[in-house]
Amino acid sequence: MRRIAVIALIWVLTALPAAAQAALAEAQAAFAAGRFEAAADAGEASGDAAALALAARALNARTLLAGAAGADPAVVARARRLAEAALAKDPSSIEGKLQRATALGWQ
């Protein structure tokens, strides 16, 4: 019984990083295809610092392509929140800092 619990725990702990990597790969593919909302959703769902920073980057790219006049304040605020979430998970994340600064620049 105890052995089964240990095996289950090991399986769960190794599966979590794999799931985060899959979500990051999904977000990267969506970003590369120009599907910025999908990239943001996938990155946010991952909860990983790198994926959260990518999610913020996707929304900042969407805002950049819309132009300053077409910038949606809700999208900009979400990009800032995602960048801040990335920094909460990894305070040394350069990408998180860059995306937070970019989002703040749009406000």
Side-chain angles (χ1 to χ4, degrees):
M1 178 76 156
R2 189 174 193 163
R3 185 176 181 179
I4 292 172
V6 170
I7 292 170
L9 178 63
I10 291 170
W11 181 80
V12 168
L13 292 176
T14 57
L16 289 177
Q21 288 298 325
L24 178 59
E26 179 185 345
Q28 289 170 329
F31 183 89
R35 295 182 296 115
F36 300 121
E37 287 289 334
D41 292 343
E44 186 173 21
S46 167
D48 175 66
L52 289 165
L54 178 61
R57 181 179 182 194
L59 295 177
N60 282 331
R62 178 179 181 251
T63 301
L64 175 69
L65 292 174
D72 182 347
V75 172
V76 172
R78 183 178 176 207
R80 190 193 78 245
R81 282 193 309 271
L82 289 168
E84 289 171 350
L87 289 170
K89 295 215 177 249
D90 180 8
S92 66
S93 170
I94 299 300
E95 186 68 18
K97 292 175 183 178
L98 175 63
Q99 297 311 321
R100 181 179 58 185
T102 302
L104 288 171
W106 286 115
Q107 290 184 323

